[in-house]
Every structure is written in structure tokens, then in C-alpha cells.
Amino acid sequence: MNSKNNIGTQIKSRLKHLSASPDDSVWENIEKELKKKRRKRILFFWWLSSGSLLTIALVTAIFYGYTTSKNPLQEKTNEINKSTTKKTTNENADYNKPSEKTLTSGISKEPQKPSASKKTYLLESLNNKNNSSKGTNNLVSKKNTFKNLDEINNSSSSVDNTLTLQDIKTDEEEELKHTVAEVKVKEDIKKPEELKEKQKDSTKSQDYSRWSFTPQGLLSYYGTFKSNASNNTNYNYGFLASYKMNSQFYARTGIRLLNLSQDINGLTREVTYYQFPLEIKYTPFQYKINPYAIGGFSYYSLRDSKTNSNTLDFQATVGLNAGLGAEIKLWKKTFINFESIFNYQLMPFSNKNDVKPYILNLSLGIEYRF
Amino acid sequence: MNLDNLIKRCKKQKLDAQSQLYKLYKDDLFILCLKYCRNKEEAQDNLQDAFLEIFQKIKYYKGIGSFEGWMKRITINKAIDKYKSKHEINFEINDNILKDTEFTIENIEAIPLEDILFQVQNLPSQYRLVFTMYELDDYSHKEIAELLNISESTSKSNLHRAKKLLQTKIQRPIKAS
């Protein structure tokens, strides 16, 4: 540090005795800014989480949504058909395995006829199913099958160890006949039985209720983007009705009575709206505590308004809704719902102003499905 | 609540702690602002901006060095930034005309504090900043040059001119009376 001239030292020593305080308005402004920043941070995280969930929901909807929107009965039928075909293929694969007989006769690549024990097993299984089946048509076709199988059995027992190429070909044809007949019988027996059982099971595990109604209690925060609002939390209530479009998407509407108030820089505003939301609810998962996303818009019908500002008059308006929620099953068809919905009001005032109000609703509802 | 706890709570953005910290340091930092700014209003604006930055950046304060010093640096930098943004500093002058002269004020004790402060505040912004930083807050010419983006010789000449102006302006009313 360089040496200092006298005037600097003189002024420094004099100004040490200076005492002064800033006006109270300085802290008030600082406090306002801090609250504004905090609110922005909360909104940012809220939008971030909503946006993330909505993106996940959309991606899930694209990949899985369309497949689950098919008729469940049709799906079950398809499943059964698939499983039957699979079993048949497996059994055919077993028949194609080379046996010792084939190897000794030197024709290793030729398919083999079923062994006597395999035929016995098939007969047994068919007999079992025959006992459980009651349809007369099935019985006729099964009798024919038994006939064919007996023929095959007899022919196979007479073959013994001396097989010729002609014999094998004949056996192949018979085997093919046998397989086709067997599959047909199996399908005839299985289809109605399994379908009934699977349908029974599905009705047990899945809820086919299409409609629901939900009375709600709400904690409403009436905020603004452009300035600091205080005294802006109110309790409200509403009612929602929803329709299940498919396993993941619900359309819902209803009515909420919103008594809202806010103080902005000494100006007090009180307004009552009837809110008519029209929303889509998306439930990508089926958990016990089941999260979901909500998006849509609302029409706000003005019921009453009070303001000590001559420059602002409330009016009916529309708004955009986005939210997150979770539902928990209480009883068979009764659910409890928690939701946080952000409503941004478009043009809530009849004249131009910088106040951009929004409503943040936290709701608790009991949903009954039928 | 001790200072460490207060800082910890401020790092968590607790409003009550921020309020306490403000009450604790508002006067000292306001006096600092008064010396760097042109008037009370500008000083209050600077104080407000400085505290907002302090609350924002307090999470980066690692406890190394004096906390008060850290806050003072933020406050001074705020003032510098303000005048920089208004293009009231960074002008270079010819150093050759200046001589290393000593300036003194006779009977300075008789001069009211407000008058001395008023004369400091009324210096041209670049002179005021250089004078206050060098004489009142012990910055070196090198540091001043870096902060104000001027050369060291400009800093020296600014200081010389500031002292000359102050001597003239503070001494004149005394002589007149």
C-alpha cells in the first residue's frame, strides 16, 4: 500500500464517526424480492415435476396406451388361441425328435411316428378332457379321433424293428392326421372352458366401472405472477364426474365454487367464480397409491366480485389447468384422491392490467365408481 | 443466535434469518454505500441490490476470511457495477500534467460530517470511486485498476484530481466563513 496524502487520512478519520440508517422501505423491498424469488422457485419446480410426469405419461401412452385400449374379451380370446398354438407346436416338435429306430434304419432325417407311450399319454389326456366335456359335437369328433388313434396305435405296434421307407411315409401321413385331429379336439374342448374361466378371473381382478363422482374440498391459493399478493388462501369445495375412456384415460368435468381473495399493495380483491373444468386424467400406472396427471381447461363464470380498485373489474374467463394427483383405494369402489392443480386464468379482468392471476388448488376428494 | 448459525439459516433461505442478518449489518453497509454513491437514494438502491446478492450468494461463502469483509466486497462491487453500466467510469486522462502534491484541509474538525460526505458524493463518479477505494477502504492502485478496468496511472491521476477537488470544495466554505 502506498503512503497516503493528508486529506485522505483526514476525511477517513472524520467519516469514522458517521452514523446513518437506511429507510424501512429498503428491507420491505428486499423482503418482497425474496418472496418473489421463492415463489418463482416453487413454480419452477412445480412446472418441472408436472412437465416431467406429463412427458412420461405421454411416452407411456404412445408405447402402451393403444395396445390396452382393445376390447378385453377379444384380448383373452387371442391369448388362448396363442397358447393353444404354442402347445401344438411344442408337441409337434417332440414328434420330430429322431428315435433310435430311425437311426438304426439309416434314415436319420425322416420324421418319426409317435411312440406307443406318447400315444397312450395323448389318449389319456384326451380321455380326461372328454370326461369334462359335455358337448355332443365334441364327443362325435373325439370318437373319430380315438378311432384314428387306435388305427395309428395298431399300425405302430405291428411295425416293430423292420421299418421300410414306405412304412415311414405312411406313418407320417397318419401322424399328420392324428395331430390335426388332436389339435382340433383340444381346441374344441379348451376354448369354451378356458374362456369362461379367464373371463371369470378377469372380472375378479379388473374393475369395469365406467363412471365416477367425486365431492372435493379445496384449499385455494390465489396468486399473481406480476406482484406480491397476501391474504390469498381460501377454502372451497366442488364436485366432479368422470368417465373412464380406457384403462388409462378418463374424461372429467364438474363444478367448483371458488371464493378467492388477495391483497396487492393495499388493494383488496375478492371474487367468487363458478369453475367448470373439462379435463383429461391420465393414470399410467396401477399402483396401490396410484399417481396421475391432469390437463385441460376451465370456464370461470363470475358470481360476485368486490374490489377497492376502480381500475380493475373482474369478468368471466377461461383458464388452463395442469396438475398432479394420487388416488388410494379405500373400499371396493371408493377411492380417496389428493390433487394439486394449477389454473392459469386468461383475461380475468375486463380492462388491461399487469396482474396475471393464477389459482393453485390443493384438493382432497372421495371418489365413488360405478 | 450466533453468526455461524445465522449464516447457516441464511443459506437455507430462511426469511427470519435473512431479516436478522440485515438488521445486524444494514447500518455499516449503508454508510459504505453512502461513500460510494452520489446520494442517499442511490445508496439505498445499492444497499438493496447488495443484500439481495448477499442472500443469493451466501451459499458460496465457505467461512474463509471475515464475513463482514465478504459482504463489504459485494457491496462495493455492486456500486462499481452500477457506475460501470452507466458508462460513468473508464475514461483515461493525461497523467503528465499531474504532480505529486500533498493536499490538506485546515481545521477539518470544524467541518460538519454531512458536508464532508456531501463533497465526497459530489465528486465525479470515477474520482469518487478511486478516492474512496484508495483512501477510505485501503485498496491499492493495482486493485483499483483491475476493478475499474483502468490503468494504474489513471487510478493515480484520478486520486490526485479527486483530492484537489475535495480540498477546494471543502476548504472554500471555511475560508468564506
Side-chain angles (χ1 to χ4, degrees):
Chain A
M1 209 76 52
N2 295 337
S3 64
K4 311 230 169 140
N5 295 322
N6 283 338
I7 191 168
T9 320
Q10 284 175 311
I11 291 174
K12 188 178 181 180
S13 66
R14 286 291 282 131
L15 287 180
K16 271 182 183 170
H17 304 291
L18 184 70
S19 65
S21 282
D23 296 343
D24 292 342
S25 61
V26 176
W27 171 247
E28 285 165 14
N29 292 337
I30 292 171
E31 197 176 16
K32 269 182 198 171
E33 286 296 318
L34 290 172
K35 281 180 179 171
K36 205 193 249 179
K37 278 182 184 174
R38 185 167 298 144
R39 202 168 51 244
K40 274 183 186 172
R41 207 164 46 234
I42 291 167
L43 275 173
F44 171 75
F45 284 116
W46 194 90
W47 277 112
L48 194 73
S49 56
S50 300
S52 310
L53 204 74
L54 212 65
T55 312
I56 293 166
L58 281 171
V59 171
T60 318
I62 289 162
F63 284 105
Y64 302 106
Y66 297 115
T67 52
T68 52
S69 63
K70 287 178 188 169
N71 184 359
L73 199 67
Q74 182 66 41
E75 270 181 42
K76 299 293 170 197
T77 317
N78 290 343
E79 269 179 37
I80 293 160
N81 285 341
K82 271 182 195 170
S83 64
T84 317
T85 318
K86 204 175 177 184
K87 277 179 186 172
T88 313
T89 319
N90 288 340
E91 278 164 12
N92 286 339
D94 285 344
Y95 297 156
N96 289 334
K97 281 177 187 169
S99 70
E100 281 177 18
K101 273 182 192 173
T102 320
L103 289 169
T104 51
S105 60
I107 314 162
S108 60
K109 285 180 185 175
E110 290 294 327
Q112 285 297 298
K113 63 185 176 180
S115 67
S117 61
K118 200 171 269 173
K119 281 173 192 164
T120 318
Y121 165 75
L122 286 170
L123 272 172
E124 275 172 7
S125 67
L126 283 169
N127 278 329
N128 289 339
K129 274 159 192 161
N130 190 26
N131 292 337
S132 64
S133 167
K134 286 173 187 174
T136 46
N137 291 337
N138 291 342
L139 278 171
V140 172
S141 65
K142 271 172 236 159
K143 273 179 185 172
N144 292 335
T145 316
F146 294 148
K147 207 178 167 185
N148 291 335
L149 286 169
D150 284 341
E151 282 168 12
I152 294 163
N153 210 11
N154 291 335
S155 63
S156 101
S157 61
S158 62
V159 170
D160 293 333
N161 294 328
T162 50
L163 281 169
T164 62
L165 192 60
Q166 204 176 350
D167 287 333
I168 290 164
K169 276 183 182 171
T170 319
D171 283 348
E172 268 179 34
E173 284 168 13
E174 282 173 356
E175 190 184 316
L176 200 65
K177 279 179 194 169
H178 153 80
T179 313
V180 170
E182 189 201 350
V183 168
K184 205 173 179 184
V185 170
K186 274 187 180 178
E187 277 178 5
D188 288 347
I189 297 165
K190 271 185 178 177
K191 259 188 192 172
E193 290 287 321
E194 282 190 14
L195 260 177
K196 275 179 194 170
E197 274 176 28
K198 290 205 173 182
Q199 279 171 24
K200 248 185 198 176
D201 290 346
S202 64
T203 44
K204 272 179 198 170
S205 62
Q206 286 185 23
D207 183 12
Y208 286 112
S209 306
R210 285 274 176 199
W211 295 92
S212 77
F213 66 85
T214 314
Q216 286 185 317
L218 301 123
L219 181 67
S220 305
Y221 177 88
Y222 192 38
T224 64
F225 282 118
K226 289 282 178 176
S227 49
N228 289 319
S230 56
N231 298 326
N232 49 357
T233 309
N234 299 87
Y235 292 100
N236 293 303
Y237 58 90
F239 171 87
L240 289 173
S242 81
Y243 175 73
K244 184 178 182 178
M245 296 190 288
N246 58 42
S247 60
Q248 290 172 325
F249 287 95
Y250 297 73
R252 67 181 206 179
T253 185
I255 182 168
R256 295 185 185 114
L257 180 64
L258 300 179
N259 287 305
L260 306 167
S261 65
Q262 58 182 197
D263 286 356
I264 301 172
N265 301 329
L267 297 174
T268 306
R269 298 188 187 108
E270 288 174 15
V271 63
T272 306
Y273 283 117
Y274 284 119
Q275 184 194 11
F276 300 97
L278 186 60
E279 294 163 340
I280 297 290
K281 178 177 140 183
Y282 174 60
T283 55
F285 314 109
Q286 298 297 325
Y287 299 144
K288 210 169 184 181
I289 299 172
N290 199 23
Y292 56 84
I294 306 142
F297 63 90
S298 292
Y299 173 70
Y300 295 87
S301 170
L302 185 66
R303 190 188 175 204
D304 194 15
S305 69
K306 275 184 217 165
T307 172
N308 56 2
S309 161
N310 295 325
T311 55
L312 289 179
D313 288 320
F314 286 96
Q315 66 174 12
T317 181
V318 290
L320 302 171
N321 309 346
L324 296 171
E327 59 191 16
I328 304 165
K329 195 171 186 173
L330 286 181
W331 295 288
K332 202 176 176 185
K333 293 193 179 266
T334 313
F335 293 76
I336 189 163
N337 296 347
F338 302 95
E339 286 177 10
S340 161
I341 304 182
F342 179 81
N343 311 110
Y344 180 66
Q345 286 188 294
L346 307 164
M347 305 291 289
F349 303 109
S350 55
N351 38 3
K352 268 192 171 179
N353 65 89
D354 283 337
V355 180
K356 300 218 176 287
Y358 63 84
I359 305 159
L360 190 60
N361 280 322
L362 297 176
S363 71
L364 177 65
I366 304 289
E367 183 180 356
Y368 179 75
R369 293 177 183 174
F370 54 96
Chain B
M1 196 186 297
N2 66 26
L3 186 61
D4 287 341
N5 283 337
L6 199 60
I7 293 167
K8 270 182 195 169
R9 284 181 58 77
C10 283
K11 283 181 179 178
K12 290 176 186 171
Q13 305 291 327
K14 302 285 180 191
L15 195 63
D16 61 320
Q18 290 169 329
S19 169
Q20 275 195 49
L21 193 78
Y22 173 80
K23 280 175 190 165
L24 205 60
Y25 291 103
K26 69 180 167 76
D27 292 345
D28 288 347
L29 294 183
F30 182 55
I31 290 166
L32 189 70
C33 292
L34 284 171
K35 292 186 279 186
Y36 279 85
C37 299
R38 263 189 295 244
N39 51 46
K40 188 186 171 184
E41 285 67 38
E42 282 189 4
Q44 291 195 149
D45 282 349
N46 195 66
L47 183 73
Q48 183 182 318
D49 293 344
F51 262 108
L52 285 171
E53 191 161 331
I54 287 164
F55 293 139
Q56 193 190 331
K57 290 187 173 173
I58 198 165
K59 58 190 170 203
Y60 303 117
Y61 175 69
K62 303 287 178 199
I64 303 158
S66 148
F67 181 64
E68 198 177 341
W70 179 77
M71 287 198 297
K72 278 185 174 175
R73 276 197 300 280
I74 287 179
T75 310
I76 293 167
N77 288 341
K78 268 281 155 206
I80 292 169
D81 289 344
K82 188 170 279 183
Y83 294 108
K84 260 187 186 175
S85 67
K86 288 179 185 171
H87 304 288
E88 292 185 31
I89 51 175
N90 297 347
F91 58 86
E92 302 282 332
I93 56 164
N94 186 358
D95 299 321
N96 299 332
I97 59 164
L98 301 171
K99 290 175 187 174
D100 190 20
T101 321
E102 286 212 353
F103 299 99
T104 52
I105 301 166
E106 291 168 23
N107 201 14
I108 194 166
E109 301 299 323
I111 303 167
L113 267 175
E114 291 74 24
D115 291 351
I116 297 172
L117 181 66
F118 179 78
Q119 295 305 336
V120 172
Q121 286 176 337
N122 273 285
L123 287 170
S125 293
Q126 187 160 320
Y127 293 175
R128 183 178 66 251
L129 291 177
V130 172
F131 175 80
T132 314
M133 288 171 89
Y134 186 84
E135 294 292 350
L136 309 184
D137 289 315
D138 299 325
Y139 280 80
S140 66
H141 281 299
K142 194 182 173 188
E143 287 169 319
I144 295 167
E146 280 172 11
L147 284 167
L148 299 185
N149 293 334
I150 55 176
S151 64
E152 276 188 59
S153 57
T154 302
S155 173
K156 283 173 188 167
S157 69
N158 283 178
L159 181 67
H160 182 91
R161 285 169 183 274
K163 283 175 181 175
K164 193 176 178 185
L165 274 171
L166 281 172
Q167 189 195 38
T168 317
K169 286 185 175 178
I170 295 170
Q171 202 72 72
R172 193 182 295 150
I174 298 171
K175 280 180 180 171
S177 62

